Amino acid sequence: MDQAGLNPVFDLPIVTRNQGKLREISEILKLFRIRAFSAYHLTNFDEVNENGDTYAENALLKARQGYVHTGGLCAGEDSGLEVDELDGAPGLFSARFGEKFAFVGDNNTLLLSLLEGVPPERRSARFRAAVALAWEGGEKLFEGVCEGWIRETPRGEGGFGYDPVFIFPLFEKTFAELDVSVKNTYSHRAVAFRSAGEFILKNLLKGSVRP
């Protein structure tokens, strides 16, 4: 679907203040002629308490709050990095990983210190994302996973979060080294939001989802 050059036909508020995520989501949804922007630009409301037990629960909490405060279709997203050697950590606490260890500094530094001396074959990891939509009378969930492994040192200047230490095996590069268009083709977030974009366009045509 080559629609990136066409004007957007639909606006989708995303419940996030994370500018890195918002940039990626915007680029992904351009292909569906959907304009993504922060729901906080429409109305001011408190940060959503992400106290769910899964990414999906947290994404739904955000989408529901977005719908309540904007009165229209909203999307929420939650994602994290799961490292097998660390029993799935940082997982749901990916953004707040340092708080669990009272660690002052970059989350990547903490992660690499916990994996110090662990050989490459035991550094498998994955990014996982859940995207939720909430609108009048309905909710829908979408998920995406991207498998890889963790480098011993950061590499690359792009992306955000754990991107400099996460190797994507297909290109043997970190997410921070990949061109943004490549990352937004293969990432966990791209998989989930592409499914969401397809759902929105298909169901808008049927009139079952309204902004």
Side-chain angles (χ1 to χ4, degrees), residues 14 16 19 22 37-45:
I14 313 292
T16 185
Q19 293 304 306
L22 194 58
F37 59 94
S38 174
Y40 295 104
H41 289 168
L42 290 178
T43 182
N44 188 31
F45 57 98

Side-chain angles (χ1 to χ4, degrees), residues 125-141:
R126 69 204 48 80
F127 275 119
R128 194 181 300 274
V131 172
L133 299 177
W135 67 94
E136 183 179 0
E139 296 176 342
K140 187 73 173 176
L141 274 169

Side-chain angles (χ1 to χ4, degrees), residues 80-83 108 111-112 123-128 145-156 160-178 183 186-188:
L81 176 69
E82 301 172 349
V83 181
N108 286 321
L111 177 65
L112 295 179
R123 301 173 77 96
S124 56
R126 69 204 48 80
F127 275 119
R128 194 181 300 274
V145 179
C146 185
E147 299 285 344
W149 57 276
I150 305 300
R151 276 183 52 82
E152 293 182 350
T153 56
R155 195 171 66 187
F160 63 98
Y162 295 96
D163 285 357
V165 298
F166 181 81
I167 287 282
F168 182 50
L170 181 61
F171 297 98
E172 296 187 352
K173 292 183 177 181
T174 68
F175 267 176
E177 293 178 290
L178 291 176
K183 181 188 176 186
Y186 295 98
S187 77
H188 53 306

Side-chain angles (χ1 to χ4, degrees), residues 92-108:
L92 287 173
F93 299 94
S94 291
R96 309 179 300 278
F97 195 34
E99 295 176 15
K100 296 189 68 175
F101 294 85
F103 179 80
V104 178
D106 179 63
N107 281 336
N108 286 321

